[in-house]
Amino acid sequence: MSIGTTTNHSDTGYNFAYLDEQTKRMIRRSLLKALSIPGYQVPFGGREMPLAYGWGTGGIQVTAAVIGPNDRLKVIDQGADDTTNAVSIRRFFQTVADVAVTESTEDATIVQTRHRVPEAPLKEGQVLVYQVPQPEPLRKIDPRETETRKMHAYAEYGAMQVTLYEDISRFGRIAKTYDYPAIINGRHLMSPSPIPKFDNPKMENNPAIQLFGAGREKRIYAVPPYTSVRSLDFDDHPFEVQSWKGCCALCGSTVSYLDEVITDDKGSRMFVCSDTDFCNTRQREAAAQPKTAGGQS
Amino acid sequence: MAYVAVKGGEQAILNTLRLISETRRGDPALAELTLAQISEQFGLAVDRVMTEGSVYDRELAALALKQAQGDVTEAIFLLRAYRTTLPRIALSEPVDTSRMTIRRRISATFKDIPGGQVLGPTYDYTHRLLDFALAAEGLQRPQAGLAAEPLEQDVPQVIDLLDSEGLIEEESDEGQGEIFDLTREPMSFPAGRDQRLQNLARGDEGFLLGLAYSTVRGYGGAHPFVGELRLGEVTVEIVPEELGFPIVVAEIAVTECQMINQFRGTVARPPQFTRGYGLTFGHNERKAMAMSLVDRAMRARELAEDVRYPAQDEEFVLAHTDNVETSGMVSHFKLPHYVDFQAELMLVRQLRAEHQVARGAGQKKEAAE
């Protein structure tokens, strides 16, 4: 969109995608800087959004800054298109940007996400926008911003490595299960936002652009396409992801992240894909396929 | 110029009382607010005043809000001051929130739960856009549709479903008969959980919210999950001595929050999830959640965790939560302090004079060298 074209949405009285053009320009500049220094947290003049902080204000600011009238937006929360927050944010952009929306990962040009990377591989031209509650991976080690910024400047990440080692000495394994810290492009330590560590490998060398927006903390960072994302580990305790004994009760998948669902008050449970689009697609494909006697999975 | 001493306080006070009454009423051309209007349309403010004022009475809370011009802290003060004049008739039985008439009930830990997720009345999914139509009066408002079936009577606590595996610590009163009563006894340290929870329930929402925020933002190391948040009506029962069995004396609305937190375990205890608990009168999720986060943070000592941050320090937290106490201390600085200030004034003058002399002597010495 060229500067000065303010496509006013006559229906709502709000500018296209809610934010004014000046603000969007400021965010786009921050995004460019973030892409130039992979994993570096760029401070930006975050605005107050009509959504509570922590519910995706960073994500919707980033989405608002990059979305155009021809985009197709997908919003997921915990991998699902139909969870309340995803529905609410999708409704927001339908109101203020009137863009096409989709639930299909493949068809989306922008995917805004909370807590998951879609199971279906992304491709060039797609943008994955993460909602980030806590951009600072070192915050738990030292709560003071003045200190953590210095640690990033000196690439002094030993303290994080020590924290992981403490887990090994106590539990015999690294006990971090989500928000698993990773070194981006061999330089900056980055919080991947609270995605399960299961999803960390999907960030590596991804053809899509990955943008991270933290509204409350007013930070933007990014992983450009085809960039290295190395999850911290040790030679004798290599990084590993979660695995399940069973498969998805709906589509039979053994390769996706599964959620536990309680089915009655006696504690019965089943496991289903957290990525609803992935699961539905697989179920549709299975239904369309003629049943073969051999039963190959 | 004439000498003006601050005298004639009585006349000034009478005038300020008239003035406040006039200011409170505002433009007399406009209709006066009724208590029913406040109670019905400022319901959440009423709920907060009842919680921190620790009196469950919508009408009194509405009156306090009207008298305080909507200043919530002042209204809480009014209600507390009234409360203190009431006799204690009985102690109720513990309320059973699993038998609550549910209006809202959500869990952030499981995708689906027996009894279902019930969104109920919440601002969570409103986009915070000013609704200019609300400025107009007498508009037809949309009404929510009714479900085909009513909700079940007994809705199990989500957190208890984890209990069976021992994944989450069991909650019990450990047969403790005597419950600490903060309104009758002074605070004592180390404080039991009963004392801490009472303090938090009456504590200032804003302060607790800030403390709760600090625990999840680096100054407390919390890893919270909302196991369950529920809002609805529960019955209050007492056992009169002459009867010997429980009778229902009231139905009250409460908000309850059960927060699940990580615990890495010690030599004595295996790793398991721990709980933080929050309960308020009426509908007040922010307070119930903040309360449960701070409750958990203050259990650090009991769980053999390092006490490093303000929210984990029970003496710090418990001493500063009460907004009647805190605003009293802060506002008292408006009172005359002529006498003590005079004493300080004389001392500072004297010290300055001595400092001057000492510096002078030092300079002379330097010059001489």
Side-chain angles (χ1 to χ4, degrees), chain B residues 25-239:
Chain B
R25 179 62 181 85
D27 185 350
L30 295 171
E32 191 176 337
L33 272 176
T34 66
L35 297 192
Q37 282 173 333
I38 295 171
S39 170
E40 289 300 301
Q41 294 174 44
F42 275 0
L44 296 179
V46 166
D47 286 354
R48 179 170 171 199
V49 171
M50 290 197 305
T51 302
E52 289 170 45
S54 54
V55 176
Y56 195 93
D57 189 318
R58 301 199 70 81
E59 203 179 341
L60 282 182
L63 173 63
L65 273 165
K66 179 174 175 176
Q67 189 176 334
Q69 290 178 265
D71 179 341
V72 172
T73 309
E74 181 68 22
I76 290 163
F77 190 178
L78 287 166
L79 203 56
R80 283 268 194 96
Y82 173 74
R83 179 193 197 281
T84 197
T85 65
L86 301 175
R88 168 152 303 170
I89 300 167
L91 283 178
S92 79
E93 295 290 285
V95 293
D96 183 358
T97 51
S98 68
R99 284 172 53 214
M100 174 187 277
T101 313
I102 299 278
R103 262 195 278 161
R104 169 163 162 78
R105 181 238 197 180
I106 54 161
S107 169
T109 47
F110 291 104
K111 204 169 202 166
D112 210 351
I113 41 179
Q117 306 255 13
V118 182
L119 278 192
T122 172
Y123 283 103
D124 287 350
Y125 303 102
T126 57
H127 296 132
R128 267 54 168 224
L129 307 169
L130 280 173
D131 180 4
F132 294 107
L134 207 55
E137 286 170 28
L139 277 186
Q140 279 288 316
R141 287 276 136 193
Q143 292 204 316
L146 281 179
E149 291 170 37
L151 288 171
E152 280 173 42
Q153 277 294 323
D154 291 352
V155 181
Q157 304 270 5
V158 173
I159 221 159
D160 293 340
L161 299 168
L162 284 171
D163 229 352
S164 57
E165 277 184 81
L167 286 172
I168 189 149
E169 57 171 347
E170 246 179 84
E171 200 93 284
S172 101
D173 60 4
E174 280 145 8
Q176 188 184 348
E178 285 289 297
I179 307 289
F180 190 90
D181 187 346
L182 198 59
T183 63
R184 298 287 195 271
E185 299 165 63
M187 207 113 75
S188 75
F189 296 108
R193 197 162 176 219
D194 49 351
Q195 183 187 337
R196 296 197 304 249
L197 285 172
Q198 276 175 46
N199 175 291
L200 296 179
R202 285 157 56 99
D204 183 75
E205 178 182 320
F207 181 69
L208 291 187
L209 183 64
L211 278 176
Y213 184 40
S214 76
T215 69
V216 295
R217 217 187 143 270
Y219 294 84
H223 300 263
F225 300 95
V226 172
E228 184 170 351
L229 184 66
R230 49 167 74 193
L231 155 74
E233 275 68 30
V234 291
T235 53
V236 181
E237 298 174 334
I238 60 167
V239 181

Side-chain angles (χ1 to χ4, degrees), chain A residues 119-236:
Chain A
E119 308 286 3
L122 298 170
K123 49 185 190 283
E124 281 183 24
Q126 287 185 305
V127 180
L128 184 58
V129 178
Y130 295 75
Q131 301 170 196
V132 181
Q134 185 46 262
E136 180 50 75
L138 302 168
R139 175 74 30 97
K140 290 241 151 72
I141 291 166
D142 195 317
R144 279 165 222 290
E145 182 87 8
T146 41
E147 290 305 311
T148 54
R149 284 187 80 79
K150 270 184 223 159
M151 289 156 89
H152 285 297
Y154 295 123
E156 200 190 295
Y157 297 134
M160 179 58 95
Q161 206 80 38
V162 168
T163 308
L164 299 181
Y165 188 76
E166 280 171 355
D167 280 357
I168 295 173
S169 63
R170 274 185 87 174
F171 308 112
R173 71 188 68 243
I174 296 171
K176 224 159 169 27
T177 55
Y178 60 86
D179 204 6
Y180 194 102
I183 297 273
I184 312 305
N185 202 31
R187 174 59 181 84
H188 280 97
L189 185 72
M190 186 190 92
S191 157
S193 97
I195 58 171
K197 64 180 179 177
F198 182 88
D199 285 341
N200 271 28
K202 294 192 206 140
M203 300 197 301
E204 166 102 36
N205 217 22
N206 198 312
I209 297 174
Q210 299 176 75
L211 305 174
F212 299 75
R216 200 170 33 84
E217 302 280 344
K218 299 180 175 54
R219 296 285 183 275
I220 280 171
Y221 51 102
V223 178
Y226 306 111
T227 302
S228 80
V229 175
R230 183 171 60 79
S231 302
L232 292 186
D233 63 354
F234 298 89
D235 291 344
D236 51 347

Side-chain angles (χ1 to χ4, degrees), chain A residues 40-292:
Chain A
Y40 172 73
Q41 296 170 50
V42 183
F44 80 111
R47 302 292 198 255
E48 269 163 13
M49 300 300 282
L51 187 84
Y53 280 123
W55 290 60
T57 54
I60 62 176
Q61 287 182 82
V62 169
T63 299
V66 299
I67 203 166
N70 300 323
D71 275 308
R72 269 185 315 281
L73 177 69
K74 172 183 165 81
V75 184
I76 52 173
D77 189 311
Q78 310 282 305
D81 294 274
D82 54 358
T83 43
T84 46
N85 198 37
V87 171
S88 175
I89 291 173
R90 192 162 55 235
R91 225 162 49 85
F92 174 74
F93 278 108
Q94 281 176 291
T95 314
V96 298
D98 196 24
V99 292
V101 295
T102 178
E103 295 196 357
S104 156
T105 304
E106 203 183 328
D107 293 343
T109 55
I110 300 172
V111 180
Q112 181 171 330
T113 179
R114 176 170 172 269
H115 290 205
R116 276 311 309 278
V117 177
E119 308 286 3
L122 298 170
K123 49 185 190 283
E124 281 183 24
Q126 287 185 305
V127 180
L128 184 58
V129 178
Y130 295 75
Q131 301 170 196
V132 181
Q134 185 46 262
E136 180 50 75
L138 302 168
R139 175 74 30 97
K140 290 241 151 72
I141 291 166
D142 195 317
R144 279 165 222 290
E145 182 87 8
T146 41
E147 290 305 311
T148 54
R149 284 187 80 79
K150 270 184 223 159
M151 289 156 89
H152 285 297
Y154 295 123
E156 200 190 295
Y157 297 134
M160 179 58 95
Q161 206 80 38
V162 168
T163 308
L164 299 181
Y165 188 76
E166 280 171 355
D167 280 357
I168 295 173
S169 63
R170 274 185 87 174
F171 308 112
R173 71 188 68 243
I174 296 171
K176 224 159 169 27
T177 55
Y178 60 86
D179 204 6
Y180 194 102
I183 297 273
I184 312 305
N185 202 31
R187 174 59 181 84
H188 280 97
L189 185 72
M190 186 190 92
S191 157
S193 97
I195 58 171
K197 64 180 179 177
F198 182 88
D199 285 341
N200 271 28
K202 294 192 206 140
M203 300 197 301
E204 166 102 36
N205 217 22
N206 198 312
I209 297 174
Q210 299 176 75
L211 305 174
F212 299 75
R216 200 170 33 84
E217 302 280 344
K218 299 180 175 54
R219 296 285 183 275
I220 280 171
Y221 51 102
V223 178
Y226 306 111
T227 302
S228 80
V229 175
R230 183 171 60 79
S231 302
L232 292 186
D233 63 354
F234 298 89
D235 291 344
D236 51 347
H237 284 92
F239 172 79
E240 53 183 36
V241 300
Q242 289 99 340
S243 63
W244 287 258
K245 285 204 186 82
C247 61
C248 169
L250 301 177
C251 78
S253 167
T254 53
V255 294
S256 55
Y257 192 88
L258 302 180
D259 281 337
E260 201 165 328
V261 175
I262 303 178
T263 48
D264 59 33
D265 56 7
K266 287 167 201 74
S268 313
R269 282 129 218 266
M270 65 175 192
F271 290 88
V272 295
C273 291
S274 87
D275 185 330
T276 47
D277 173 52
F278 178 79
C279 193
N280 292 339
T281 308
R282 277 178 56 91
Q283 288 178 61
R284 262 200 311 277
E285 281 169 6
Q289 227 153 54
K291 292 230 162 65
T292 49

